[in-house]
């Protein structure tokens, strides 16, 4: 505690011993302890005066289904911040504090904005944001990196390209020492699940990330939020002391600071109702409130809380008082001087590169960070592999040594579906981390760390590598536990790997376009279920309505499942057991004959010289001939028998018909008679005439006896796949790989576009 008080006294003495025109040399001279500042300032010029005049900002509020409301967030705000000094911007919630800093830092992405923001009296150029650092209250980090690694990565990306590795290391060491991060330099940043830095240490790290880029202006948005009074004071002392040492222009949005914290600032600006209620030195605030507003600070009251309470009670009165005060005239006069380009020196060029590193260097640095991110987070690396492999052993037990009978054939079909689904399960588990790191990308991209192509490819490559390893292990385990044909292993393995890579692109595409993890998982599940439904094994594609038949043709899941199904099932020699079907031919023919008798009966009764018994015998014989012929030519093909079974049965029936015709002495056993038309056949018999035609009726009756026919209802495996699932031989062609690659590229493009679009999710 004594050490902290000593630091506070040094800073307080430093602030009181200088005025608004202090020089960088004066600030440096006030710091005499090498322990507090590890190296002398690298600043070689006077810094940047940031000025702003008549800033107006109008924002439209309201959702898509709500009435739009126009809100005037800022109304003619003017002010300035000088190098080597710290300006605190205060106000109640909604006063416009963060809006003003977003405009000054060129981070405001929506609203109608007008006014001038100048650097030494000159408008900003395309390198404006490279000259400043912005520490937001909700900055993202890579929790598995250490403090030193985080700062080193920022230095690699943001320091001038001409800097050597030694220069970057020296800057990181100096920043660590200046912000008192020595003791936690090798501690991981951490998050809700991973223990890491304290709130104060994390806030100082966030400042350090900006400072390694040697900005000339630094913005801090509520840097003391979440810290207790001691932590807030200690943190702000270190940050402001270091910033003054570097002669930076410091602008801080701060919410209800303690007395000790607010005394660290040189100037304060209090906003109310979008306008300036007070702007000037903090040391003059008490005098101003006492003389102009007649509201001195009561005893034992935090002055800044009192000032804010007075403005909240009557902001219009405070605005009017300030507009007519001598203090405003003084500040306006100084604003004109600081905004005059004829008086102020030109802004020195910090760098001529919007991004200090080229694509190759960006990719190398990012892929190392992403790899560490995965390897140090078991839930997305080893844990994911372990759970996936454990799951595969369960599947392997279910499909253990799958057989070649009809049950085994169905199990093989399910196995093909399962193997196409597992990569999607593995890839989808990376969605939470992808969304977390997407926020980090948006933050770092705005700060000029790197460009989208390098980030997108580095993340994709690492994820593809991990899912390839995981999927390969899974495939080998399940393939050999299921005892599939080893001749099909290569195409089986290759398609599952490709399926895994495509699912990585799908996961990143859906996650990139989702605002939240809930949206991402809901969309992934919905998208996956639709693709899975039309992949083949879930529904017979031959029976789809015409207006849905296009879906399997553009379904990448169908490409992979049908390929796996055809490659692993079509070559199986079926062992027919439960699929055996027996045709009782006598019962079938008897049923058909009964219907035919009714048709031929009346025609045969008119045969000359025939007794009733002879006519009845003829009816039976002719009905048998006609019914067998009809059944063979018209009914049997509709039974959807396997081709070999159909040919065998039809051949047997045709031989039986021929035998009946031979026994029946009609035109010498003419097989060209209209056998399938009982009426015509009966007329032909009647016209032949005579009882002699029926001498062989007993023989005819004896021949009308058929053996039962037993056959395998499945036929071969190819027929089974097509008849039950609508998957033809085309599904097993290697051109499916080409279709899968096209879908991979399609989803990669959508994912890339989604990350670009996601910047809108972080509107300020």
């Amino acid at each position: 505690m004594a050490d902290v008080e000593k630091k506070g006294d040094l800073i307080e003495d430093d602030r009181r011993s200088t005025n608004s025109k202090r020089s960088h040399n004066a600030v440096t001279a006030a710091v005499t302890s090498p322990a507090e500042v590890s190296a002398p300032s690298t600043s070689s010029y006077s810094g940047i005066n940031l000025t702003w005049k008549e800033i107006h900002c109008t924002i439209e509020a309201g959702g898509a289904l709500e009435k739009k409301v126009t809100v005037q967030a800022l109304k003619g705000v003017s002010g300035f911040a000088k190098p080597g000094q710290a300006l605190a911007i205060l106000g109640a919630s909604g006063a416009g504090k963060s809006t003003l800093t977003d405009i000054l830092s060129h981070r405001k992405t929506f609203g109608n904005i007008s006014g001038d923001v100048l650097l030494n009296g000159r408008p900003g150029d395309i390198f404006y944001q490279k000259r400043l650092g912005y520490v937001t209250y909700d900055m993202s980090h890579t929790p598995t990196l250490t403090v030193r690694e985080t700062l080193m990565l920022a230095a690699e990306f943001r320091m001038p390209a001409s800097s050597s590795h030694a220069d970057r290391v020296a800057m990181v060491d100096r920043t660590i020492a200046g912000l008192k991060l020595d003791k936690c330099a090798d501690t991981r940043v951490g998050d809700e699940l991973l223990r890491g830095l304290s709130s104060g240490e994390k806030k100082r790290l966030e400042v350090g990330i900006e400072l390694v880029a040697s900005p000339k202006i630094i913005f801090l948005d509520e840097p003391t939020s979440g810290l207790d009074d001691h932590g807030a004071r200690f943190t702000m002392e270190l940050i402001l002391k270091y910033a003054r040492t570097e002669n930076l222009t410091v602008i801080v949005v701060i919410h209800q600071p303690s007395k000790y914290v607010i005394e660290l600032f040189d100037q304060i600006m209090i906003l109310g109702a979008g306008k300036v209620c007070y702007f000037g030195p903090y040391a003059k605030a008490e005098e101003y409130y006492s003389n102009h507003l007649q509201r001195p600070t009561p005893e034992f009251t935090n002055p800044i809380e009192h000032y804010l309470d007075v403005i909240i009670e009557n902001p219009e009165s405070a605005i009017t008082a300030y507009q007519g005060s001598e203090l405003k005239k003084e500040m306006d006069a100084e604003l004109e001087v600081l905004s005059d380009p004829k008086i102020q020196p030109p802004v020195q060029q910090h760098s001529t590169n919007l991004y200090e590193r080229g694509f190759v260097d960006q990719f190398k640095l990012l892929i190392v960070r992403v790899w560490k991110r995965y390897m140090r987070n078991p839930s997305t690396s080893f844990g994911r592999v372990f759970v996936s492999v454990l799951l595969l052993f369960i599947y392997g037990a279910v499909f253990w040594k799958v057989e070649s009978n009809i049950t085994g054939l169905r199990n093989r079909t399910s196995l093909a579906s399962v193997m196409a689904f597992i990569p999607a399960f593995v890839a989808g588990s990376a969605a939470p981390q992808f969304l977390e790191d997407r926020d980090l990308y948006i933050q770092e991209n705005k700060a000029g760390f790197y460009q989208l192509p390098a980030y997108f490819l580095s993340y994709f490559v690492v994820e593809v590598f991990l899912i390839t390893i995981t999927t390969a292990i899974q495939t080998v385990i399940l393939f050999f536990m299921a005892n599939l044909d080893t001749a099909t292993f290569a195409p089986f393995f290759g398609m599952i790997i490709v399926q895994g890579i495509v699912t990585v692109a799908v996961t990143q595409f859906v996650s990139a376009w989702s605002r939240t993890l809930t949206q991402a998982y809901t969309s992934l599940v919905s998208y996956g279920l639709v693709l899975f439904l039309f992949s083949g094994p879930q529904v017979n594609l031959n029976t789809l309505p015409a207006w849905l038949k296009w879906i399997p043709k553009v379904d990448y899941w169908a490409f992979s499942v049908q390929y796996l199904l055809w490659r692993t099932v079509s070559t199986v020699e079926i062992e027919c057991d439960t699929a055996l079907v027996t045709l009782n031919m006598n019962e079938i023919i008897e049923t058909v004959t009964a219907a035919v008798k009714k048709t031929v009966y009346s025609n045969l009764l008119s045969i000359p010289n025939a007794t009733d018994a002879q006519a009845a015998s003829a009816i039976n014989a002719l009905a048998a001939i006609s019914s067998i012929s009809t059944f063979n030519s018209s009914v049997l093909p509709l039974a959807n028998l396997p081709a070999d079974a159909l040919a065998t049965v039809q051949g047997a029936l045709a031989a039986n018909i021929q035998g009946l015709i031979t026994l029946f002495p009609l035109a010498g056993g003419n097989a060209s008679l209209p056998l399938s038309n009982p009426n015509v056949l009966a007329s032909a018999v009647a016209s032949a005439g005579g009882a002699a035609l029926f001498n062989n009726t007993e023989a005819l009756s004896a021949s009308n006896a058929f053996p039962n026919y037993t056959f395998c209802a499945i036929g071969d495996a190819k027929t089974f796949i097509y008849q039950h699932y609508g998957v033809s031989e085309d599904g097993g062609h290697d051109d499916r790989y080409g279709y899968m690659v096209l879908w991979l590229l399609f989803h990669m493009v959508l994912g890339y576009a989604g990350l670009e679009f996601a910047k809108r999710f972080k509107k300020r």
Side-chain angles (χ1 to χ4, degrees), residues 423-443:
F425 167 78
V426 178
S429 61
Q433 180 170 299
F434 184 86
L435 285 173
E436 289 178 16
D437 290 352
R438 183 188 67 181
D439 292 340
L440 181 62
Y441 150 71
I442 295 172
Q443 171 186 300

Side-chain angles (χ1 to χ4, degrees), residues 401-419:
K401 292 186 177 180
V402 63
E403 298 177 350
S404 299
N405 53 23
I406 181 59
T407 303
L409 205 60
R410 295 184 184 278
N411 286 342
R412 288 170 185 265
T413 303
S414 299
L415 177 61
S417 295
V418 166
M419 287 307 298

Side-chain angles (χ1 to χ4, degrees), residues 479-480 483-492:
F479 187 91
F480 290 102
N483 196 30
L484 300 180
D485 184 5
T486 54
T488 65
F489 178 76
F492 188 91

Side-chain angles (χ1 to χ4, degrees), residues 380-396:
T380 55
S381 54
F382 305 110
R384 188 158 51 143
V385 174
F386 174 78
V387 172
S388 301
V389 171
L390 180 63
L391 184 64
L392 258 294
F393 276 111
I394 298 175
Y395 283 139

Side-chain angles (χ1 to χ4, degrees), residues 336-397:
E336 292 302 319
V337 173
L338 297 175
S339 303
D340 190 344
K342 297 179 180 179
I343 300 175
Q344 301 301 319
V347 178
Q348 294 188 12
Q349 187 68 40
H350 176 70
S351 174
T352 57
N353 304 310
L354 290 176
Y355 297 92
E356 296 298 337
R357 294 286 192 148
F359 169 79
V360 174
D361 287 340
Q362 291 177 16
F363 178 77
K364 289 179 180 178
L365 291 168
L366 284 170
I367 205 167
V368 170
R369 181 176 75 175
V370 176
W371 180 255
K372 288 181 179 179
R373 171 82 155 108
Y374 273 85
M375 291 301 101
R376 294 177 182 178
N377 184 4
S379 64
T380 55
S381 54
F382 305 110
R384 188 158 51 143
V385 174
F386 174 78
V387 172
S388 301
V389 171
L390 180 63
L391 184 64
L392 258 294
F393 276 111
I394 298 175
Y395 283 139

Side-chain angles (χ1 to χ4, degrees), residues 59-71:
I59 301 171
E60 280 193 352
L65 302 179
E66 300 174 357
K67 183 179 179 180
K68 298 293 183 180
V69 177
T70 300
V71 178

